Amino acid sequence: MSGRSIAPTTRWLLRSNSALVIAFLYAPIILLAVYSFSGSRIPGEWGGFTTEWYARLFDDSRIQKTIGVSVRVALVSTVIATVLGTMSALALERFKFRGRRVFDALLYLPIIIPDVTMAVMMLMFFTQAFDLVDLLFGLGLSKGFATIVVSHVAFNIAFVSVVVRARIAGMDATLEQAAADLYANRWQAFRYVTLPLIAPGVLGGALLAITLSLDDVVVTQFVAGPGSTTLPVYVFSLIRKGVTPTINAVSVIMLLASLTLVAGSVALQRAQAVRGRTNSE
Amino acid sequence: MSLRAVSKHFDDVVAVDSVDLDIGDGEFFALLGPSGCGKTTTLRMIAGLEIPSAGSLKIFGSEVGPLPPNRRPVNTVFQNYALFPHMSVADNVGFGLRMSKTPKADVARRVSEAISLVRMGGMENRRPAQLSGGQQQRVALARALVNRPKVLLLDEPLAALDLKLRQEMQFELKQLQREVGITFVFVTHDQEEALALSDRIGVMDSGRLLQVGTPEEIYDAPVDRFVADFIGRSNFLAGTLEAHDRVCLANGDRVTVPSVADGVVSVGDAVQVSLRPERVMIDRAGAAPEGHASLEGEVATVTFLGNSIVYRVALDWMTIEVETDHRPDLDRHEVGDRVAMWWRDDAIAVVRP
Ligand SMILES: Nc1ncnc2c1ncn2[C@@H]1O[C@H](COP(=O)(O)OP(=O)(O)O)[C@@H](O)[C@H]1O
Ligand SMILES: [Mg+2]
């Protein structure tokens, strides 16, 4: 490619294309960040530099509480969804069992169906389940932290499973057989051969899950209880009352958190690659 | 090791069809056959990676049929080596020892012994991806041998190597087997490799084990047309077995044959006489010596191969291929020449058609 000369018109077209794409992607983010430092209450109007909105954010105990809920929900649901998603990916790729096809098809339903449908489904499920528990054990359960976690796990299993499955499909199954041939039992073969080889997929799936969990508004809104609301749901409710630069500030912080997550995972993978290389020298 | 009536079905595909086989202690045994004939499946059943649909499988007298692979005294060198890409050479080789809870000091010592046995010293810390095909092959061998299995299974271990390296590794493999004295069961579709390496060969076709014998037995006295055709080249003359040592050929000629073993074919059966091209003598028509079965025909093609010449001679009922040395003292025949062909009675074999 590098050796070929490109006609000036083509080059110009390619350049403007890239410029447009970059503008579409990043202009809103830059605007968001810039106006989070604007002194004016009206969004989109520059009112001089200030960090007032950030200060307010840190004074607002309500926001801090929802951030806490969001993080805990994301961590717990990601761990559970990653374990279950990896297990179902392994089952689907490596074992033959009755009902495999049906399981395969049903597993991906959460990816396809609209968020709202998922939300209504979860809500109905919890209502019915709570009624049943109340009837059987006389326990009056209510929506809250646990219901959010369960719902997030429910849709994240599918995403984790898709990512991990791609990785397992690319892995040679005879490696596991070789491990078994070398006296490893099932667990050891998984622990020492399969898991290290699919780890990037598992990590990728977990990152996807944590991001989706932190982002989710629709499903969470339906299953959250009065005491426990996640940050995005809270922000959404704030917007209904009117957009304030506080929301910009919150968004910038969420954005930074996501960037840190991604950068962290990239750094982790780099470090592993470097370690791999030095080990082998 | 013994297999009795071992079969394997995959849905309606019969991959291995009632195989009976005994392999002796310390033997180099080759399982030979075209691709898809069930060699790998047989090997995988011995390794425990496939459960036989029927039959019994014993290693040193104990039934291993239902045992999982990690509980069998066998190790496998896989067709694609299956080295663990995320481990160094030393960790690959030590894997089996670590899994079987060998003391750490022993692991280190045996790993380094195994690595020097396959002449990979100095490469302990490399990853499989940093090794050539031949080196990977050696690591795979070391990884299996380090466990001192009673039986080593090798699935076409040399198929992925280029010709020169393959010949080198054949030699090394044979050497290694003598050194360690372990039973080797070696799967290959390459007849030369099987002939060159093994103490005994089992020839398979479509799931069935057709013949087991030393390389000489398989080559000189095949019992089945498929075996004779797969190993070396052969002419097949159709006929009927008239007595245990006489065949009436399709053209009415009667030829004497080495006595046919019981159970292969019986008197009165339609048979084929297998005649190796290099065992046929050729000369001018009428020059055939007395006392030999002979055939006359016309040279149809002549192919010069350097050290030998291959003639295809047309008879009125079939065509026969003859291979002669290319030497100044032998007459060369040209296309259209009438020639006579004869052979020693013990140079041929009667085979199942
Ligand atoms: N896991 C499997 N599922 C279905 N059919 C199989 C499986 N493994 C092997 N076979 C079939 O069994 C036959 C023998 O295969 P294999 O033992 O691999 O032959 P070879 O190693 O001699 O080339 C082939 O027809 C193959 O398609
Ligand atoms: Mg095979």
PDB file of all heavy atoms in Angstrom, chain A residues 147-160:
ATOM      1  N   THR A 147     -32.171  -6.716  43.023  1.00  0.00           N
ATOM      2  CA  THR A 147     -32.911  -6.868  41.770  1.00  0.00           C
ATOM      3  C   THR A 147     -32.141  -6.218  40.617  1.00  0.00           C
ATOM      4  O   THR A 147     -32.144  -6.728  39.495  1.00  0.00           O
ATOM      5  CB  THR A 147     -34.319  -6.242  41.874  1.00  0.00           C
ATOM      6  OG1 THR A 147     -34.189  -4.934  42.416  1.00  0.00           O
ATOM      7  CG2 THR A 147     -35.216  -7.085  42.743  1.00  0.00           C
ATOM      8  N   ILE A 148     -31.459  -5.117  40.897  1.00  0.00           N
ATOM      9  CA  ILE A 148     -30.665  -4.488  39.830  1.00  0.00           C
ATOM     10  C   ILE A 148     -29.543  -5.441  39.406  1.00  0.00           C
ATOM     11  O   ILE A 148     -29.319  -5.673  38.211  1.00  0.00           O
ATOM     12  CB  ILE A 148     -30.044  -3.152  40.292  1.00  0.00           C
ATOM     13  CG1 ILE A 148     -31.132  -2.214  40.799  1.00  0.00           C
ATOM     14  CG2 ILE A 148     -29.291  -2.493  39.147  1.00  0.00           C
ATOM     15  CD1 ILE A 148     -30.577  -0.896  41.331  1.00  0.00           C
ATOM     16  N   VAL A 149     -28.872  -6.004  40.401  1.00  0.00           N
ATOM     17  CA  VAL A 149     -27.762  -6.920  40.088  1.00  0.00           C
ATOM     18  C   VAL A 149     -28.259  -8.094  39.249  1.00  0.00           C
ATOM     19  O   VAL A 149     -27.689  -8.418  38.208  1.00  0.00           O
ATOM     20  CB  VAL A 149     -27.082  -7.418  41.386  1.00  0.00           C
ATOM     21  CG1 VAL A 149     -26.139  -8.571  41.074  1.00  0.00           C
ATOM     22  CG2 VAL A 149     -26.319  -6.282  42.050  1.00  0.00           C
ATOM     23  N   VAL A 150     -29.362  -8.695  39.694  1.00  0.00           N
ATOM     24  CA  VAL A 150     -29.875  -9.854  38.961  1.00  0.00           C
ATOM     25  C   VAL A 150     -30.210  -9.466  37.513  1.00  0.00           C
ATOM     26  O   VAL A 150     -29.875 -10.184  36.564  1.00  0.00           O
ATOM     27  CB  VAL A 150     -31.115 -10.440  39.677  1.00  0.00           C
ATOM     28  CG1 VAL A 150     -31.809 -11.474  38.790  1.00  0.00           C
ATOM     29  CG2 VAL A 150     -30.717 -11.057  41.005  1.00  0.00           C
ATOM     30  N   SER A 151     -30.828  -8.325  37.333  1.00  0.00           N
ATOM     31  CA  SER A 151     -31.193  -7.913  35.972  1.00  0.00           C
ATOM     32  C   SER A 151     -29.954  -7.678  35.117  1.00  0.00           C
ATOM     33  O   SER A 151     -29.908  -8.069  33.947  1.00  0.00           O
ATOM     34  CB  SER A 151     -32.016  -6.632  36.004  1.00  0.00           C
ATOM     35  OG  SER A 151     -33.033  -6.745  36.950  1.00  0.00           O
ATOM     36  N   HIS A 152     -28.950  -7.032  35.704  1.00  0.00           N
ATOM     37  CA  HIS A 152     -27.730  -6.776  34.934  1.00  0.00           C
ATOM     38  C   HIS A 152     -27.030  -8.085  34.574  1.00  0.00           C
ATOM     39  O   HIS A 152     -26.528  -8.249  33.468  1.00  0.00           O
ATOM     40  CB  HIS A 152     -26.797  -5.846  35.713  1.00  0.00           C
ATOM     41  CG  HIS A 152     -27.261  -4.428  35.712  1.00  0.00           C
ATOM     42  ND1 HIS A 152     -26.433  -3.372  35.977  1.00  0.00           N
ATOM     43  CD2 HIS A 152     -28.479  -3.887  35.472  1.00  0.00           C
ATOM     44  CE1 HIS A 152     -27.113  -2.238  35.900  1.00  0.00           C
ATOM     45  NE2 HIS A 152     -28.368  -2.528  35.601  1.00  0.00           N
ATOM     46  N   VAL A 153     -27.015  -9.003  35.523  1.00  0.00           N
ATOM     47  CA  VAL A 153     -26.440 -10.322  35.226  1.00  0.00           C
ATOM     48  C   VAL A 153     -27.199 -10.946  34.064  1.00  0.00           C
ATOM     49  O   VAL A 153     -26.610 -11.485  33.134  1.00  0.00           O
ATOM     50  CB  VAL A 153     -26.489 -11.239  36.472  1.00  0.00           C
ATOM     51  CG1 VAL A 153     -26.171 -12.675  36.085  1.00  0.00           C
ATOM     52  CG2 VAL A 153     -25.514 -10.752  37.530  1.00  0.00           C
ATOM     53  N   ALA A 154     -28.520 -10.818  34.101  1.00  0.00           N
ATOM     54  CA  ALA A 154     -29.356 -11.473  33.094  1.00  0.00           C
ATOM     55  C   ALA A 154     -28.985 -11.032  31.685  1.00  0.00           C
ATOM     56  O   ALA A 154     -28.884 -11.857  30.777  1.00  0.00           O
ATOM     57  CB  ALA A 154     -30.826 -11.194  33.367  1.00  0.00           C
ATOM     58  N   PHE A 155     -28.765  -9.713  31.492  1.00  0.00           N
ATOM     59  CA  PHE A 155     -28.418  -9.368  30.102  1.00  0.00           C
ATOM     60  C   PHE A 155     -26.921  -9.497  29.823  1.00  0.00           C
ATOM     61  O   PHE A 155     -26.518  -9.748  28.703  1.00  0.00           O
ATOM     62  CB  PHE A 155     -28.996  -8.011  29.658  1.00  0.00           C
ATOM     63  CG  PHE A 155     -28.518  -6.789  30.404  1.00  0.00           C
ATOM     64  CD1 PHE A 155     -27.226  -6.317  30.211  1.00  0.00           C
ATOM     65  CD2 PHE A 155     -29.358  -6.108  31.263  1.00  0.00           C
ATOM     66  CE1 PHE A 155     -26.797  -5.183  30.877  1.00  0.00           C
ATOM     67  CE2 PHE A 155     -28.927  -4.962  31.932  1.00  0.00           C
ATOM     68  CZ  PHE A 155     -27.634  -4.503  31.740  1.00  0.00           C
ATOM     69  N   ASN A 156     -26.088  -9.386  30.867  1.00  0.00           N
ATOM     70  CA  ASN A 156     -24.646  -9.448  30.617  1.00  0.00           C
ATOM     71  C   ASN A 156     -24.117 -10.850  30.312  1.00  0.00           C
ATOM     72  O   ASN A 156     -23.118 -10.989  29.617  1.00  0.00           O
ATOM     73  CB  ASN A 156     -23.882  -8.861  31.800  1.00  0.00           C
ATOM     74  CG  ASN A 156     -23.675  -7.365  31.616  1.00  0.00           C
ATOM     75  OD1 ASN A 156     -23.690  -6.879  30.486  1.00  0.00           O
ATOM     76  ND2 ASN A 156     -23.494  -6.656  32.706  1.00  0.00           N
ATOM     77  N   ILE A 157     -24.800 -11.876  30.826  1.00  0.00           N
ATOM     78  CA  ILE A 157     -24.357 -13.247  30.532  1.00  0.00           C
ATOM     79  C   ILE A 157     -24.241 -13.428  29.026  1.00  0.00           C
ATOM     80  O   ILE A 157     -23.263 -13.967  28.510  1.00  0.00           O
ATOM     81  CB  ILE A 157     -25.346 -14.286  31.104  1.00  0.00           C
ATOM     82  CG1 ILE A 157     -25.204 -14.367  32.617  1.00  0.00           C
ATOM     83  CG2 ILE A 157     -25.092 -15.658  30.503  1.00  0.00           C
ATOM     84  CD1 ILE A 157     -26.153 -15.357  33.258  1.00  0.00           C
ATOM     85  N   ALA A 158     -25.253 -12.930  28.315  1.00  0.00           N
ATOM     86  CA  ALA A 158     -25.281 -13.110  26.863  1.00  0.00           C
ATOM     87  C   ALA A 158     -24.068 -12.449  26.213  1.00  0.00           C
ATOM     88  O   ALA A 158     -23.404 -13.048  25.360  1.00  0.00           O
ATOM     89  CB  ALA A 158     -26.566 -12.529  26.299  1.00  0.00           C
ATOM     90  N   PHE A 159     -23.755 -11.221  26.642  1.00  0.00           N
ATOM     91  CA  PHE A 159     -22.638 -10.499  26.020  1.00  0.00           C
ATOM     92  C   PHE A 159     -21.296 -11.159  26.345  1.00  0.00           C
ATOM     93  O   PHE A 159     -20.458 -11.355  25.465  1.00  0.00           O
ATOM     94  CB  PHE A 159     -22.647  -9.033  26.470  1.00  0.00           C
ATOM     95  CG  PHE A 159     -23.769  -8.239  25.869  1.00  0.00           C
ATOM     96  CD1 PHE A 159     -24.955  -8.053  26.543  1.00  0.00           C
ATOM     97  CD2 PHE A 159     -23.639  -7.710  24.588  1.00  0.00           C
ATOM     98  CE1 PHE A 159     -26.001  -7.339  25.977  1.00  0.00           C
ATOM     99  CE2 PHE A 159     -24.674  -6.985  24.015  1.00  0.00           C
ATOM    100  CZ  PHE A 159     -25.858  -6.802  24.712  1.00  0.00           C
ATOM    101  N   VAL A 160     -21.116 -11.511  27.604  1.00  0.00           N
ATOM    102  CA  VAL A 160     -19.868 -12.180  27.993  1.00  0.00           C
ATOM    103  C   VAL A 160     -19.716 -13.477  27.200  1.00  0.00           C
ATOM    104  O   VAL A 160     -18.659 -13.773  26.643  1.00  0.00           O
ATOM    105  CB  VAL A 160     -19.856 -12.492  29.508  1.00  0.00           C
ATOM    106  CG1 VAL A 160     -18.647 -13.344  29.856  1.00  0.00           C
ATOM    107  CG2 VAL A 160     -19.848 -11.208  30.310  1.00  0.00           C
TER     108      VAL A 160
END
